[in-house]
């Protein structure tokens, strides 16, 4: 499938803007490590750090009492995935309805997609197999993460900023719409049945998705076991150094796995969707920033922390 001939649209501009914001935040944070210590007490610096950090990475930052008013529990992460399972499940069901029963999308959804892409959507346009597969894999990803939050992860009393919480809710709504926009905005439609549209990119992307999902789940189980005994009961809420597997290479392999999952979705979408690669770029900077903050936390807290580990991508970042 070729690059979209329709040019840059609103959805592309949005993901580009978010990518630029998180890249800028990563750059500013790295540069700020070299600034005088007196700057760390400035209101601008404190607010900036409060907005980019969450959970354990907030522990080493001096925070004014008024900032704590905007704290919400980190354990509320499950809200993101619950919303996504419902919302993206609805979009998946609507896409299957359009495909199997030849029913058009609801008018409100069509108007939103047209607004984001700037291109009218024909009522007869049927989703590609790439779109259906991306929607299914995205829904399964969020369902797994929801179950992990509720049944596997052991959350401490860490907090996230209210802005981060609202952003997270909006993110998963926008993500589902982006899938429809990628299907809609100028990509050449495949002919034939859904099965006849399958190609090697769908297989390769799905294989990468499965491997990355298993890697991420293993990481979440490893992190949870740092706080539980063999019986599975919680023994401590303290932070400990994770060991074994990919944790021997990077501080946050679960963030690396998240990036790989989005790369796999881009491959499943056809591999040439500018919109989806912009989403991947956003995830790279977003997860890279979070991983860097966690990496710095481990180094500052544990004198014996392995210095050969990178933060995010093995041997690179």
């Amino acid at each position: 499938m070729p690059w979209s001939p329709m040019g840059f649209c609103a959805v592309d501009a949005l993901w580009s803007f978010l990518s630029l914001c998180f890249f800028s935040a990563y750059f500013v944070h790295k540069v700020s490590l070299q600034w005088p210590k007196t700057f760390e007490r400035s209101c601008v610096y404190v607010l900036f750090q409060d907005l980019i950090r969450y959970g354990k990475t907030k522990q080493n930052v001096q925070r004014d009492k008024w900032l704590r008013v905007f704290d919400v529990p980190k354990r509320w992460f499950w809200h993101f995935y619950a919303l996504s399972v419902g919302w993206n499940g609805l979009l998946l069901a609507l896409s299957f309805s359009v495909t199997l029963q030849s029913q058009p999308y609801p008018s409100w959804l069509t108007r939103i997609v047209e607004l984001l892409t700037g291109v009218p959507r024909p009522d007869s346009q049927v989703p590609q197999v790439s779109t259906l597969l991306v929607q299914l894999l995205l829904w399964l990803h969020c369902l797994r993460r929801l179950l992990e939050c509720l049944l596997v992860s052991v959350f401490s009393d860490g907090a996230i900023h209210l802005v981060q919480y609202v952003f997270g809710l909006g993110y998963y709504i926008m993500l589902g719409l982006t899938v429809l926009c990628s299907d809609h905005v100028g990509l050449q439609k495949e002919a034939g049945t859904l099965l006849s549209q399958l190609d090697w990119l769908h297989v390769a992307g799905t294989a990468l998705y499965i491997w990355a999902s298993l890697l991420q789940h293993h990481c979440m189980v490893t992190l949870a076991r740092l706080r539980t005994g063999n019986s599975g009961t919680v023994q401590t809420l303290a932070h400990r150094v994770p060991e074994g597997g990919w944790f021997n290479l990077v501080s946050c392999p679960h963030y690396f796995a998240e990036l790989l999952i989005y790369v796999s979705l881009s491959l499943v979408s056809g591999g040439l969707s500018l919109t989806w690669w912009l989403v991947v770029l956003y995830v790279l900077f977003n997860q890279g920033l979070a991983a860097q903050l966690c990496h710095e936390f481990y180094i500052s807290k544990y004198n014996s922390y392995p210095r050969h580990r990178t933060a995010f991508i093995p041997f690179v970042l």
Side-chain angles (χ1 to χ4, degrees):
M1 289 184 288
W3 290 101
S4 167
M6 306 308 296
F8 225 53
C9 55
V11 67
D12 294 336
L14 174 62
W15 289 112
S16 298
F17 173 74
L18 292 176
S19 299
L20 178 61
C21 287
F22 278 90
F23 171 77
S24 300
Y26 180 87
F27 177 78
V28 170
H29 170 71
K30 291 290 288 184
V31 171
S32 70
L33 297 177
Q34 309 302 321
W35 291 344
K37 293 296 182 180
T38 54
F39 185 76
E40 294 182 1
R41 294 191 292 269
S42 68
C43 293
V44 174
Y45 179 84
V46 171
L47 180 59
F48 170 72
Q49 292 292 333
D50 201 50
L51 287 173
I52 66 173
R53 295 175 180 271
Y54 59 86
K56 60 180 175 287
T57 63
K58 283 183 179 286
Q59 291 183 3
N60 296 334
V61 178
Q62 294 182 349
R63 305 175 65 218
D64 297 332
K65 290 184 178 180
W66 70 270
L67 287 173
R68 301 181 188 276
V69 174
F70 301 98
D71 286 354
V72 296
K74 183 187 174 184
R75 63 176 62 92
W76 284 9
F77 263 38
W78 73 269
H79 295 181
F80 302 153
Y81 303 114
L83 172 67
S84 183
V85 167
W87 169 248
N88 290 302
L90 171 63
L91 297 182
L92 176 62
L94 290 174
S95 292
F96 270 113
S97 178
V98 171
T99 302
L100 301 177
Q101 301 180 16
S102 300
Q103 296 180 359
Y105 285 104
S107 58
W108 59 267
L109 183 57
T110 299
R111 285 195 294 269
I112 293 175
V113 173
E114 290 177 349
L115 178 65
L116 292 172
T117 61
V119 181
R121 184 184 183 95
D123 291 338
S124 59
Q125 182 173 328
V126 176
Q128 302 174 87
V129 66
S130 299
T131 301
L132 293 172
L133 190 53
V134 169
Q135 286 182 307
L136 176 61
L137 295 180
L138 177 61
W139 184 80
L140 289 174
H141 170 63
C142 294
L143 177 62
R144 174 180 61 81
R145 290 294 294 119
L146 173 62
L147 294 176
E148 287 172 346
C149 284
L150 296 177
L151 304 177
V152 177
S153 297
V154 180
F155 292 100
S156 63
D157 294 329
I160 59 176
H161 198 283
L162 180 62
V163 171
Q164 296 171 324
Y165 178 75
V166 174
F167 177 83
L169 295 175
Y171 167 77
Y172 283 102
I173 293 176
M174 190 62 212
L175 197 59
L177 293 173
T178 299
V179 180
L180 294 181
C181 291
S182 299
D183 174 79
H184 172 54
V185 69
L187 292 175
Q188 180 180 351
K189 299 302 170 182
E190 304 284 352
T193 63
L194 292 179
L195 289 179
S196 67
Q197 295 177 31
L198 293 173
D199 59 27
W200 69 271
L201 273 177
H202 297 124
V203 176
T206 301
L208 177 59
Y209 170 89
I210 294 173
W211 181 81
S213 297
L214 291 174
L215 170 61
Q216 190 174 61
H217 177 70
H218 176 74
C219 292
M220 304 312 296
V221 171
T222 299
L223 290 172
R225 285 178 177 171
L226 294 176
R227 295 178 170 177
T228 62
N230 294 331
S231 63
T233 58
V234 177
Q235 293 184 339
T236 179
L237 295 180
H239 298 287
R240 296 175 175 174
V241 177
E243 302 284 352
W246 281 70
F247 281 105
N248 292 335
L249 298 176
V250 294
S251 295
C252 302
H254 46 305
Y255 292 155
F256 179 54
E258 184 81 1
L259 174 63
L260 293 180
I261 287 172
Y262 280 85
V263 170
S264 73
L265 294 179
S266 189
L267 294 177
V268 170
S269 72
L272 292 174
S273 169
L274 172 62
T275 301
W276 260 109
W277 283 115
L278 289 174
V279 175
V280 172
L281 188 64
Y282 159 78
V283 174
L284 170 64
F285 295 141
N286 173 277
Q287 299 293 282
L289 175 61
Q292 180 62 35
L293 295 173
C294 287
H295 186 63
E296 293 171 3
F297 169 83
Y298 286 131
I299 291 177
S300 65
K301 186 175 178 64
Y302 306 103
N303 294 329
S304 60
Y305 192 74
R307 292 301 191 265
H308 68 273
R309 293 187 190 181
T310 52
F312 180 36
I313 302 176
F315 312 111
V316 178
L317 179 64

